[in-house]
Amino acid sequence: MGREDSHYRPDGGSAHGTGRSGSGSAKGRVPVPEAHLPRAPDAPTPAPETVPERPPPLPWRPPAGPASPAPNAGHFPVAGGEQPVSGPPRGSATVPVSPAPLSPSFGPGPTAPGGVPPVGPPISALPAPANAAPPPAASRRRKRLPVVLAAVLLLVLASVGVVITRPGPVAGWLGDDAGSGPNAVGVTPEPALSDVLGGPDSNAPVPTPDGVRAVLDPLVGVAALGDRVNVSVADVITGQTLFAKGADDGTVPASVTKLATAVTVLAARGPGYRIPTRAVAGAKAGEVVIVGGGDPTLAINKKGYYPGAARLDDLAAQVRTALGGTPPTSVTVDGSVYSGPVHGPGWDDDIPTGGSGGAVTALMTDGARTDPGVEHGSAPRFAEPDLAAGKAFARLLGVPTDSVKRGAAPPQAAAGASPAPGTELGVVQSPPLIRLVDVMISESDNLVAEALARQVALARGQPASFDGGAAAMDAEVAELGLPADEISVSDGSGLSRLNRISPSLLTDLIRLAASPDHPELAGVFGGLPVGGWSGTLNERYRNTAGTAAGAGSVRAKTGTLTGVHSVAGLVTTADGRLLTFAVLTDKVPGDRDTAQPALDRIAAALAGCGCG
C-alpha cells in the first residue's frame, strides 16, 4: 500500500511553522535559449479574456550529437515493501560521473562507455508530423518558457530506462537473485496488462479551453478542497494553457516540492553523479576519520534499506587493506560538508520524531532509520544519524564505539607516519543521482530530498544547508529560464509550510524536463507514481466514484500536509492527448479522506474527456 507522501497529521495540528520566510533569492525571468520543438496541428483559439495563451512554438530541429544507446529494461516499482529505484547532463548526451566508476550492481541491462546505464532520447527529440502547423500566438503576462516536447509518453519513460509493464518486485528489477524475482518458483506471475500508460497520440485533437473549463469548473469548486484551489493545465506539445485558476499564485506545495528538487539537482549535478563517502587517516596513529559526503542511502552491509547502496562494510575492508598491519584505534566522524540546523524551518514540531523526517546530517545510514528492514514509509530514525553511522563503522573496524566522536579530517600531510594524516584510506560511492531521484519521487523520501537539495547547493558553491539549498534551487530554476519569482522554498522535501510554488511553474518544470535541450532532466519521469498502479497513487483511482478514468492514465507526484493537498504531473486524455497539470490546495477544511478523492476527480476528468 502506498504510504502517505509527506507529513500528514489527522489530528488537525497547527498549520503554522516557524523560521524564515523562504528563499526567493532569484527573481524575474531569464531568457530561454532556442528550444528544439515539434509542431502540432492547429488548436482552436481560446477566449483570451479568460485563459491567456502561451507563445507559439519554435521550429523543431533534431538535437546534435550521437544517437543515444538503447534504454535499460526494468519495471516500475510497486509499493508494499519493495524499494523503488530507476539521464545525461546539462545540454549534453554524455553523462558525467564522479571520480569512482559506476558499478552495475544498481540495475540490470547494458552500460554505456564509462559504466553509466544507457538512456534513450527525450520525447521531444521526435520529428513532428509532416502536416503539423503551429498553434495561434497570443500574449500573456507570464513570458512563458517556449513550447517543448514531442508527445510520446512511452519514450519519456524509455529515456529513463523504464519498460511499460505492471510494477514488479524491485529486487527483480535490480537484477538480484532469481529467487527473489517475480517468476520465482511458487510465485504466480502477475498478468500482463496493456492499458497502463498507453502511448499518447501527438496527432490527437487538442482539448479546447472552453471544453476543459466546462469539465473542471464544478470540480475545483467543491467544498472538500476549501476556498483556495490553484490550478494549471496545459497541452504538452503546444504549451497552450487550457485551464488557469490562480495558476501563477504561490501555494504551499507539500511534497510536490520534490519535482523542483528533482529538476534542479539533475540540472546542477547531472544524472550520473555519485556522492562519495570517504575514510582518511586521522592526525593520531590508528585514527580513522569517516567523511560524510551527503549520501543518505549509505548502508552498513548488504541488508541495507536502499537497493544498490554504497556500504560501510566495503569501506571498512578498504581501510583495513590500506592500513596493512596497523590496527585502527578510533573513529572520528566528519560531517562538516553540511552546515546549519539539522531540522528545517517551517516544519511541524513533530516531524523530527514522527518518522517521515529527521535530522539532516552529511553522514547517515539507511536514511537514518534505526531498522533498515522496515517497509517504506514512516519509521523510527536516529536522533544523531552521523554518530550512529560512525559507531556502526567502528564496529566493522573492531574499534570500541565509545571512542567515536565528531571532528574534522586533517589536511593531507606531505610526509610523516605511514599512512600520513589526511591520506585517503578508502571511498565508496552512492548510486547515480538519477536513481536517488527515483527513490525520492516514488517513495516521497524526505531525507533523500533534503540530501539532493544540498547537492544543488554544493554544485553552485552555496553552503550545504537549508538556506543554501533553497537559494541554490531558486538560482537553478532561474538559470533554466523559468520564473524564479514563482518559487520560494525553505527545504527540498516539502515538509516546510513556508514553501510556495505556483501551479504554472510546476507545469513548466514538467514540460522542460522533456526538452531535448535538457536531456539530463528526463530522469524526473522515471519515479512518478502511476494512478491505481504504483507508489503514492497505488491505492488511488481504483474504488472511488468518478476517478476510474485516471487509473493508468495519470502519472503524478502527490503532496500532503495537514490542510494541504496537491498533485502535479501528466495525464493522457481519452483522445490520446498528453496534458500536464498541477492542482495545489492549502486551505483544506477536512482531511485526506475527502480531499484526495476530490483531487483525483480533477485528474480523472481530464483523463476521461476529449474536452473539445
Side-chain angles (χ1 to χ4, degrees):
M1 178 175 181
R3 74 169 179 87
E4 191 42 62
D5 66 297
S6 190
H7 179 62
Y8 173 77
R9 299 194 329 189
D11 59 355
S14 170
H16 303 286
T18 59
R20 63 188 176 82
S21 60
S23 48
S25 59
K27 298 293 181 184
R29 300 171 190 278
V30 177
V32 181
E34 178 178 332
H36 307 170
L37 306 170
R39 299 242 182 201
D42 287 337
T45 304
E49 69 278 6
T50 55
V51 181
E53 274 279 10
R54 296 174 186 255
L58 299 175
W60 179 86
R61 57 186 172 84
S68 300
N72 288 338
H75 298 279
F76 289 115
V78 63
E82 298 83 26
Q83 292 79 43
V85 293
S86 156
R90 186 180 226 142
S92 169
T94 303
V95 182
V97 296
S98 51
L102 292 171
S103 164
S105 64
F106 206 81
T111 56
V116 181
V119 296
I123 62 173
S124 51
L126 297 177
N131 60 350
S139 61
R140 186 180 180 187
R141 178 192 72 79
R142 292 169 53 86
K143 183 178 179 183
R144 282 296 188 185
L145 171 72
V147 191
V148 293
L149 301 154
V152 183
L153 179 57
L154 292 174
L155 292 183
V156 174
L157 303 173
S159 74
V160 292
V162 179
V163 172
I164 312 305
T165 60
R166 169 82 182 192
V170 172
W173 187 31
L174 296 174
D176 290 349
D177 295 340
S180 64
N183 295 318
V185 176
V187 178
T188 302
E190 297 193 43
L193 302 181
S194 60
D195 60 346
V196 173
L197 296 175
D201 179 3
S202 60
N203 294 313
V206 183
T208 67
D210 286 343
V212 174
R213 189 180 306 113
V215 168
L216 294 193
D217 269 343
L219 299 176
V220 300
V222 298
L225 293 178
D227 57 6
R228 184 171 151 86
V229 185
N230 295 332
V231 185
S232 174
V233 179
D235 182 71
V236 165
I237 299 175
T238 67
Q240 178 187 357
T241 299
L242 301 175
F243 188 90
K245 178 181 182 292
D248 299 332
D249 295 345
T251 316
V252 181
S255 269
V256 169
T257 301
K258 293 181 176 76
L259 289 175
T261 305
V263 169
T264 54
V265 76
L266 288 170
R269 279 298 201 199
Y273 182 81
R274 291 174 178 261
I275 303 170
T277 301
R278 301 167 52 238
V280 303
K284 300 177 181 178
E287 179 187 14
V288 178
V289 182
I290 181 169
V291 183
D295 175 11
T297 67
L298 182 68
I300 297 172
N301 52 39
K302 66 180 180 180
K303 296 181 180 180
Y305 178 83
Y306 300 96
R311 289 162 41 181
L312 285 180
D313 58 354
D314 289 338
L315 184 60
Q318 293 178 42
V319 168
R320 285 192 294 269
T321 299
L323 290 177
T326 303
T329 59
S330 65
V331 168
T332 298
V333 172
D334 183 349
S336 59
V337 68
Y338 282 8
S339 59
V342 297
H343 300 132
W347 284 11
D348 289 341
D349 291 341
D350 61 342
I351 287 176
T353 58
S356 61
V360 180
T361 57
L363 180 67
M364 64 174 64
T365 56
D366 302 304
R369 291 169 179 83
T370 59
D371 179 5
V374 300
E375 292 188 357
H376 65 270
S378 296
R381 316 273 174 161
F382 288 110
E384 297 179 301
D386 53 343
L387 290 180
K391 290 177 180 179
F393 190 52
R395 284 191 288 270
L396 291 167
L397 290 175
V399 172
T401 58
D402 57 8
S403 71
V404 176
K405 63 183 185 301
R406 295 186 180 96
Q412 176 73 53
S418 180
T423 300
E424 185 171 282
L425 304 176
V427 61
V428 291
Q429 302 272 350
S430 75
L433 283 191
I434 189 172
R435 311 300 194 196
L436 303 189
V437 166
D438 265 9
V439 169
M440 174 184 68
I441 292 180
S442 57
E443 280 202 36
S444 202
D445 192 306
N446 293 310
L447 287 177
V448 171
E450 298 303 345
L452 294 183
R454 280 159 175 74
Q455 289 301 316
V456 183
L458 291 170
R460 297 193 65 90
Q462 295 277 353
S465 62
F466 284 102
D467 286 354
M473 287 174 62
D474 280 2
E476 198 69 36
V477 166
E479 190 167 308
L480 288 168
L482 299 176
D485 54 350
E486 294 183 14
I487 179 172
S488 176
V489 296
S490 295
D491 68 10
S493 63
L495 290 172
S496 177
R497 294 181 181 274
L498 302 178
N499 291 354
R500 298 292 185 273
I501 302 179
S502 73
S504 53
L505 177 62
L506 289 166
T507 52
D508 280 351
L509 282 169
I510 292 166
R511 290 168 47 231
L512 181 66
S515 166
D517 282 343
H518 295 281
E520 75 280 11
L521 304 183
V524 73
F525 297 110
L528 281 176
V530 180
W533 208 259
S534 64
T536 56
L537 294 180
N538 184 49
E539 298 297 324
R540 294 166 68 167
Y541 301 100
R542 288 188 175 189
N543 303 312
T544 302
T547 67
S553 299
V554 173
R555 185 173 177 83
K557 181 73 193 79
T558 57
T560 305
L561 294 164
T562 306
V564 177
H565 296 270
S566 57
V567 63
L570 297 162
V571 59
T572 307
T573 71
D575 289 338
R577 196 75 186 185
L578 185 64
L579 308 180
T580 177
F581 71 99
V583 186
L584 306 183
T585 67
D586 58 12
K587 292 187 178 180
V588 176
D591 59 19
R592 62 179 174 179
D593 291 338
T594 55
Q596 287 184 353
L599 282 181
D600 294 346
R601 289 186 186 101
I602 293 174
L606 293 171
C609 82
C611 296

